[in-house]
Every structure is written in C-alpha cells, then in structure tokens.
Amino acid sequence: MWPLLSCLFMGWALGANDAANVFGTAVTVGVVRFRTAAFVGAIAVLAGAVLEGAAGINTIGNISQQTAASAGIIALAAALSVSVMTILHFPVSTSQAVVGAIAGAGVMQGVASFQGMEKLVICWVVTPIGAAMVSLLLFWMIGRPLSRMPISILTRDRWLWNGVVVAGAYGAYALGANNVANVTGVFVGAGVMTPMVGALAGGSAIALGMITFGKGVMTTVGSGLVRLDAFTALVVILSEALTVHTFAMIGVPVSATQAVVGAVLGVGWAHGNQSVRIDLLGKILAAWVGTPAVSFLVAAGVHAILS
Amino acid sequence: LLYQITVPSNFSEDYAALAQLSVAAGMDTVAAARTLFSNYKNALPLAEVVRRKEHEADNQEMSLLRRIFQSDLGLEKKMWLSEICRDISDIADRAEDTADRVMIIAAKRII
C-alpha cells in the first residue's frame, strides 16, 4: 500500500506546484477565479493523462524493470528530492527526479541500466531552449497582427486574458499528458497497474494537488515574482504548453517549470532585453545536475535503509 | 466677481491666446483618452500634441508674466493678473499630466 501512497503523494505535489505555471498569472490578476481555474485545470490534466499519457508512461516504465517495493522507493525518493529542491528555490523537474531515483535504486539493486536515458537528458536540455524559441516565434506571430488591429484597450485586454485562460487549460492538458509518467510510470513498468489505470490514477493525483494546494502556490508565484501583462502571459503559457505537449507526443517527460523559465527568457529577448540573467541560467544548470543527483542519492539511501 | 478684476486692454490678447492654447490642450487630452477606447495606438501622437501645447503655454505664460511685472501697474494689480495667468496655464499643465497617463496606458500595450 505505501508504494502507491508515495506515488499519489508525488502526483499531488506535482499538481500543487505546476498549477501555478498554467493558471498562476490569470488567477493572481483576477481574470479567473481559483475555483474555476482549478476545476478546468483538473479536468484538462485528467484528459491529457488519459488521452496522451501512455507514451511517456511507457518510456519511464521501460527504462528499468522494477518491483512494487522498488517502484515505491523511487516515487518516495523523487517526491522528497522535489520537496528539497523546491525549498531551495530551484526550477525543479519531477521528470529529472524520477529518472535520478530510478538510476539510484538500480545501482543499489545491481541492475543499473542507463540505456535510453540519453534521449531523456537531451530532451531536458532542449526543453528551456525550445520553449525560448517557441516564445520568440509566438511573440511575433501574435504580436504583429495584434498591434495592427484598430481596437480599444478593453477589447485587446479581454481577448488576451481570455486567451490566457484557454492557453492555461491547454497547458494543464499538456501537463497531464507529459507528467503523468513521472507519477505512475515506474508502477506500470513494475506491472502493478496497466497504463490506463496508471494514467487515471496519476492524472487524478495531479488534479487533486491542483485543487487542494494549487491556490497557495499560485498566490506565492503572483506576489513573489514579476506580474506578467496579458500579452506576455499568453505567449509564455502557450509556449510552455506547446513545448510540453510536443515532448508528451514524443513520449519524454520534461519539466513544465523549466519550459516556463525558457519561455520568459524568450519573451525578454523579443522585448529587446539582450542581457542574459546569469543567475537564472545558473539555477537551471544547477537544477539539471542537482535534481537527478539529489534524487539518485536519496533513492540509494532509502533503498539501503529499507533493505 | 467679488474683486471685479479687469484685464488691461494691452494684455487682453495675450490672455485670450493663453486661454485658447490651454483649452486646446485640454480638448486634445479628451480626444487622446477617447482614442484609447477606439484605436489605442492613435493615442500616442495625440498625447504628444498635448505635450507640445503645454510647452507652448508655459512659454506664453512666462512671457506674459514678464510683461506684467515690467508694466507700470500697481503691485496688487500685478499680483492678481499673475495669479490669473498661472491659473489659466494650470489647465494646460493638468492636461499634460493626464496625457502622460494616457500615453503610459497605450505604450504599455504596444508591442
């Protein structure tokens, strides 16, 4: 029972953290109420997980063969690592945490296999870069025609904020499709559940996290970071959703948070802000290396204690 | 009405010109604000026109004040006339402040 609980805890934490990426700006500004955002987001996450989550689940499930107990250790280690990295304010990726934990548990079991991981690592690096390029592209594709339209500021803002809500729903769908593999992928690989049950259980856990704890994270993001205007918010959320959805179709779980950071950098460049924030890039690089490393060590430690 | 101030005839044209310029700045500000609700990008050139008119009104105000205080009028009359001059010019100043806000609202939305 505890392995399943740790997997659901992981999904809950993921939903609570990533809700802010897709609906944080709209809720903070007051365009949409938290209840509405959470309800729409939960349904979209579940739909994404069930309709398009199988590819990622298979990728994670096929990295290594696990038992129910070792799958539980991996989920617990990944959840603990995500919590630690979140406390340290790193743009943490549950995908990296899960893969690091799989490697850690594999080493302790003596069945470590790093085959297929290079594809995941390449995709992690590509995620923020790809999101930045998509946001640059969207900035001009949406911005150019919008600036030529003879419209009032009220119409413009209404269109953009409605777009932000729709993009948020799409982002939640992409999140469910991509990240459900992090929650139940190892359990499907261990034969504890079928891919469909895994998608349903994982999607439900993420949705529950979004509904029960998403508000606090959204408020923190809204008050702690720079508030985005409607156009920037639309470009950032849409870029993040497109990037994460693309990787979901390929079957590689990636970080929605790192995609958002990349998209914000892209919009900054489009605005003519050529300076690169070294501290932000340093944090991404540290998260790329640190998250799987911490997760690796925690999984190895938990495995050693429990066995 | 209480003080029965009359503008000497040699200043009346200057006062009329300053009043017309200040009112024109105010009307242009109204037009710029209205443009926000039809085609907000056009608000920027209109707000710029208001800034130019306010600058012109400032120059006229200074010129008029200089002439008032160089005249042979009594000091109390000079004080009254200068106060009226500043009050009229204030219309243009307030128009410019509002136009600046209109400009910020529009500029924030231009990509």
Side-chain angles (χ1 to χ4, degrees):
Chain A
M1 189 64 190
W2 73 266
L4 281 175
L5 282 177
S6 60
C7 124
L8 293 176
F9 169 59
M10 170 83 169
W12 177 83
L14 197 156
N17 271 300
D18 285 357
N21 288 334
V22 287
F23 279 118
T25 309
V27 170
T28 309
V29 173
V31 176
V32 62
R33 283 185 307 170
F34 170 73
R35 277 185 189 178
T36 313
F39 181 70
V40 171
I43 290 173
V45 159
L46 202 55
V50 172
L51 296 176
E52 293 194 68
I57 286 175
N58 288 332
T59 303
I60 293 292
N62 292 335
I63 289 177
S64 65
Q65 292 302 311
Q66 303 293 337
T67 60
S70 65
I73 290 171
I74 289 165
L76 184 63
L80 287 172
S81 309
V82 167
S83 304
V84 169
M85 295 299 278
T86 304
I87 291 166
L88 295 173
H89 298 292
F90 281 97
V92 66
S93 161
T94 46
S95 316
Q96 292 167 1
V98 167
V99 172
I102 289 172
V107 166
M108 294 304 286
Q109 290 166 330
V111 292
S113 166
F114 297 98
Q115 277 186 339
M117 282 197 188
E118 69 277 0
K119 179 184 162 189
L120 297 177
V121 173
I122 289 168
C123 290
W124 294 344
V125 179
V126 169
T127 302
I129 299 168
M133 289 168 74
V134 171
S135 72
L136 263 172
L137 202 67
L138 285 177
F139 187 92
W140 294 117
M141 280 175 65
I142 301 171
R144 280 274 168 88
L146 190 70
S147 55
R148 285 182 189 149
M149 285 180 189
I151 50 172
S152 81
I153 51 167
L154 299 179
T155 310
R156 178 194 182 276
D157 288 0
R158 192 170 59 243
W159 284 359
L160 286 174
W161 282 120
N162 286 341
V164 168
V165 175
V166 173
Y170 174 46
Y173 177 87
L175 182 74
N178 189 295
N179 277 204
V180 70
N182 298 330
V183 183
T184 51
V186 282
F187 290 90
V188 173
V192 177
M193 53 181 83
T194 63
M196 180 49 76
V197 173
L200 262 175
S204 304
I206 297 172
L208 192 68
M210 214 175 235
I211 292 169
T212 55
F213 214 71
K215 192 174 186 178
V217 183
M218 282 181 198
T219 312
T220 308
V221 168
S223 59
L225 301 175
V226 175
R227 189 174 283 184
L228 301 177
D229 65 276
F231 175 69
T232 310
L234 176 65
V235 171
V236 166
I237 295 168
L238 205 53
S239 307
E240 179 254 334
L242 282 168
T243 309
V244 171
H245 191 201
T246 303
F247 283 112
M249 289 192 283
I250 298 169
V252 178
V254 292
S255 167
T257 310
Q258 290 179 6
V260 165
V261 172
V264 170
L265 279 176
V267 169
W269 287 329
H271 269 301
N273 182 6
Q274 302 294 337
S275 59
V276 175
R277 279 188 60 188
I278 301 296
D279 58 329
L280 204 59
L281 283 183
K283 272 200 164 185
I284 295 176
L285 286 173
W288 274 342
V289 179
T291 309
V294 168
S295 190
F296 180 97
L297 293 172
V298 173
V302 172
H303 192 279
I305 292 165
L306 292 179
S307 57
Chain B
L1 287 173
L2 278 173
Y3 302 110
Q4 298 290 313
I5 299 291
T6 52
V7 175
S9 57
N10 54 332
F11 294 123
S12 60
E13 276 187 20
D14 294 315
Y15 273 95
L18 181 61
Q20 277 174 1
L21 200 57
S22 295
V23 170
M27 296 309 285
D28 285 346
T29 303
V30 172
R34 284 206 172 121
T35 312
L36 287 178
F37 301 98
S38 55
N39 186 358
Y40 65 93
K41 284 173 290 296
N42 292 345
L44 287 178
L46 282 171
E48 191 54 44
V49 168
V50 176
R51 290 170 72 106
R52 277 204 301 273
K53 284 185 177 167
E54 190 275 338
H55 185 66
E56 209 179 317
D58 273 353
N59 289 339
Q60 284 193 14
E61 179 196 1
M62 291 311 293
S63 162
L64 184 55
L65 286 174
R66 200 174 292 117
R67 284 188 57 216
I68 289 169
F69 284 103
Q70 283 170 353
S71 69
D72 298 329
L73 295 168
L75 186 59
E76 82 290 350
K77 187 98 177 185
K78 286 178 180 175
M79 296 306 292
W80 279 118
L81 288 174
S82 67
E83 196 172 313
I84 293 168
C85 178
R86 287 197 183 95
D87 285 348
I88 295 170
S89 184
D90 269 356
I91 297 170
D93 287 339
R94 291 186 187 199
E96 192 202 22
D97 290 346
T98 313
D100 282 347
R101 291 189 180 212
V102 168
M103 203 179 253
I104 290 166
I105 290 168
K108 275 173 76 176
R109 287 166 173 82
I110 286 173
I111 299 151

